[in-house]
């Protein structure tokens, strides 16, 4: 009897030992990252070098200028990269881990790579469109939108890269919409996806407030070396003059420079937050950014750190113009899909041209239609038009 008990106990112990590894292993598998930046960093590490064994100009591929076979061969090597981007895009949090404590010296090594990554995604979209898979192409364009949101606006440079990436994707989307102009179901799907998408929310206000803190901290007596570094270009023949000028500054002058800089930036941000017509806001912003007396040492220092605010403001308006044109273009193509022809005149109730606040100028062409802004981009001194090639 005793042997039977021992046998039963031994059997139970053995079964428990067999079961334990499977239970403990399952519980030991940690979750995937909840920070999208960690997945993006891995995607960038896996991205093949476009200048390596198979040289390819990524920007040219993204514009459809590289033969499809060559582009397809390169993109096939990017599959793991794209998989990681798709996983990252589903996450709400994206913290890039910037060391803001470094102030002026904060490093942003991933931003140029993220722009290359956007070219990869748009290149894949164009290949899908050339294969007749318009839905897949538009899904890639929407993925680029998600990446642009995650690039964010923690710094003024990341804000500018975010806008650039969004424009790359929207430019491709604009062309694919024309290609899908006969597919009402697909156009309604895209319209719904754009309506449901999280608001873009990228703004120059947040990074500029951080920039004010970083730059005013630089305008101090104990930061002379950094101040000289920030105000000079080593290759500039006048670099020595700037260095000598900074050496003459005293604490009172730098305090006044900080005060002027803060007040000017506050006025600019207030102007940009006011719902003014584009031309008026541009004019005010440009004046506030440039009106510094170079003969006043404090004003000279403050002016040296003033960003090109009118240009920054215009970049946002330019991005909005393409976004609004795409929304209007979808409605025009829907009219064509449902009626069999493009409308003779612009339908009512469509998004406006942000440069003028008026309806876009609509023109039918032999190859589709054009939506033209009625107001001029004052930074580029040109009127933008958005072509929709309809097939």
């Amino acid at each position: 009897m005793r042997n039977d008990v021992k046998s039963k106990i031994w059997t139970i112990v053995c079964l428990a030992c067999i079961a334990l590894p499977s239970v403990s292993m399952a519980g030991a598998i940690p979750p995937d990252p909840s920070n999208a930046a960690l997945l993006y960093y891995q995607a960038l590490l896996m991205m093949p070098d476009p200048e390596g064994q198979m040289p390819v100009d990524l920007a040219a591929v993204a514009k459809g200028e590289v033969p499809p076979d060559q582009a397809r061969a390169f993109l096939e090597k990017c599959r793991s990269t794209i998989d990681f981007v798709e996983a990252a895009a589903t996450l709400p949090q994206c913290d890039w881990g910037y060391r803001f404590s470094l102030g002026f010296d904060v490093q942003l090594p991933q931003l140029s790579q993220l722009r290359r990554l956007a070219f990869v995604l748009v290149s894949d979209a164009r290949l899908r469109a050339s294969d007749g898979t318009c839905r897949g192409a538009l899904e890639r364009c929407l993925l680029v939108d998600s990446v642009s949101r995650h690039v964010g606006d923690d710094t003024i440079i990341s804000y500018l890269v975010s806008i650039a990436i969004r424009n790359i994707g929207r430019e491709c989307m604009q062309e694919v919409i024309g290609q899908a102009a006969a597919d009402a179901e697909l156009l309604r799907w895209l319209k719904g996806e754009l309506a449901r998408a999280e608001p873009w929310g990228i703004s120059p206000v947040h990074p500029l407030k951080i920039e004010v803190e970083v730059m005013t901290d630089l305008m101090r007596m104990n930061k002379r070396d950094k101040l000289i570094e920030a105000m000079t270009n080593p290759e500039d023949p006048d670099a020595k003059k700037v260095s000598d000028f900074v050496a003459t500054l005293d604490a009172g002058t730098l305090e006044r420079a900080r005060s002027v800089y803060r007040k000017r930036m506050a006025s600019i941000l207030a102007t940009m937050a006011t719902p003014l017509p584009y031309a008026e806001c541009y004019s005010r912003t440009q004046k506030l950014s440039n009106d510094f007396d170079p003969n006043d040492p404090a004003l000279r220092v403050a002016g040296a750190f003033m960003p090109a605010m009118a240009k920054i403001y215009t970049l946002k308006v330019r991005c909005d113009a393409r976004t609004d044109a795409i929304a209007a273009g979808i409605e025009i193509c829907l009219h064509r899909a449902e009626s069999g022809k493009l409308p003779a005149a612009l339908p009512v109730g469509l998004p406006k041209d942000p440069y003028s606040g008026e309806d876009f100028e609509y023109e039918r062409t032999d190859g589709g239609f054009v939506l033209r802004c009625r107001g001029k981009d004052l930074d580029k001194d040109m009127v933008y038009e958005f072509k929709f090639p309809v097939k």
Side-chain angles (χ1 to χ4, degrees):
M1 185 69 176
R2 186 175 296 172
N3 288 337
D4 290 343
V5 172
K6 287 182 178 180
S7 177
K8 288 180 179 179
I9 293 173
W10 180 248
T11 300
I12 292 171
V13 170
C14 289
L15 290 173
C17 289
I18 292 171
L20 275 174
S22 62
V23 173
S24 60
M25 285 295 289
I29 298 177
D32 286 347
S34 59
N35 179 8
L38 297 177
L39 295 175
Y40 284 121
Y41 280 130
Q42 292 177 75
L44 296 178
L45 288 171
M46 289 185 291
M47 188 165 60
D49 181 2
E51 299 176 358
Q53 295 180 350
M54 191 192 72
V56 62
D57 183 342
L58 272 180
V61 176
K63 293 177 181 177
E65 298 173 357
V66 171
D69 288 345
Q70 185 182 1
R72 200 181 305 276
F74 174 77
L75 289 170
E76 192 58 40
K77 298 180 180 180
C78 298
R79 291 304 156 199
S80 294
T81 293
I82 295 174
D83 287 346
F84 268 73
V85 174
E86 288 180 317
T90 64
L91 300 177
Q93 180 197 7
C94 188
D95 182 351
W96 294 102
Y98 294 134
R99 297 179 63 193
F100 287 106
S101 62
L102 295 177
F104 181 74
D105 291 325
V106 66
Q107 299 295 307
L108 314 168
Q110 84 286 6
L111 291 180
S112 62
Q113 297 281 24
L114 284 167
R115 189 163 184 177
R116 284 176 53 194
L117 179 62
F119 283 140
V120 168
L121 297 175
V122 171
S123 300
D124 196 45
R126 289 195 181 277
L127 274 183
R128 291 181 173 208
S130 69
D131 292 341
T133 312
C134 290
R135 166 91 179 235
L138 292 171
E139 286 173 345
R140 280 287 179 261
C141 294
L142 291 171
L143 181 59
V144 175
D145 249 21
S146 297
V147 173
S148 75
R149 287 189 187 89
H150 275 158
V151 171
D153 54 9
D154 288 327
T155 71
I156 197 63
I157 298 177
S158 58
Y159 164 75
L160 296 175
V161 171
S162 179
I163 284 184
I165 288 176
R166 182 176 172 87
N167 270 327
I168 292 168
R170 288 298 171 107
E171 184 175 354
C172 180
M173 182 184 291
Q174 178 185 326
E175 294 184 23
V176 178
I177 288 169
Q179 184 174 335
D183 192 337
E185 183 180 351
L186 179 59
L187 292 170
R188 291 193 195 97
W189 168 82
L190 178 60
K191 180 180 175 180
E193 289 297 304
L194 292 174
R196 283 191 296 272
E198 176 187 351
W200 195 48
I202 303 299
S203 163
V205 174
H206 174 64
L208 287 171
K209 286 181 178 179
I210 295 175
E211 180 124 333
V212 169
E213 298 306 317
V214 171
M215 293 308 172
T216 51
D217 182 65
L218 203 61
M219 301 177 200
R220 299 183 184 278
M221 294 294 287
N222 62 342
K223 301 285 181 72
R224 278 184 185 274
D225 291 343
K226 289 293 181 185
L227 189 60
I228 292 172
E229 180 184 340
M231 290 182 65
T232 58
N233 179 347
E235 299 178 0
D236 188 340
D238 292 328
K240 180 64 167 59
K241 293 181 180 178
V242 176
S243 178
D244 292 342
F245 162 72
V246 174
T248 66
L249 300 175
D250 56 30
T253 301
L254 289 177
E255 182 178 356
R256 192 158 64 89
R258 290 195 300 274
S259 176
V260 170
Y261 182 80
R262 281 188 179 278
K263 289 178 180 177
R264 281 296 179 91
M265 288 297 290
S267 296
I268 290 172
L269 292 176
T271 298
M272 291 172 64
T274 305
L276 296 170
Y278 164 73
E280 184 178 349
C281 187
Y282 180 91
S283 177
R284 290 190 189 184
T285 302
Q286 188 176 49
K287 180 174 176 58
L288 287 167
S289 300
N290 298 330
D291 192 13
F292 292 93
D293 183 356
N295 297 314
D296 184 319
L299 294 181
R300 180 178 173 183
V301 172
F305 293 102
M306 185 62 62
M309 293 301 304
K311 180 182 290 292
I312 290 171
Y313 166 65
T314 294
L315 286 172
K316 175 67 164 58
V317 176
R318 195 177 300 160
C319 185
D320 290 343
R322 186 179 296 277
T323 296
D324 292 341
I326 283 175
I330 291 173
E331 296 297 336
I332 293 169
C333 287
L334 267 173
H335 183 284
R336 179 186 184 277
E338 293 166 351
S339 68
K341 58 183 180 181
L342 290 170
L346 191 71
V348 298
L350 298 187
K352 308 290 187 183
D353 157 32
Y355 287 107
S356 66
E358 301 175 9
D359 287 334
F360 285 98
E361 181 182 340
Y362 169 64
E363 178 186 354
R364 292 189 297 184
T365 65
D366 292 339
F369 64 93
V370 172
L371 291 175
R372 189 175 295 108
C373 296
R374 294 183 184 274
K376 180 184 288 189
D377 182 314
L378 297 176
D379 184 63
K380 293 288 188 180
D381 191 28
M382 65 180 294
V383 173
Y384 281 96
E385 62 179 31
F386 304 96
K387 298 179 181 179
F388 290 80
V390 174
K391 296 182 179 180

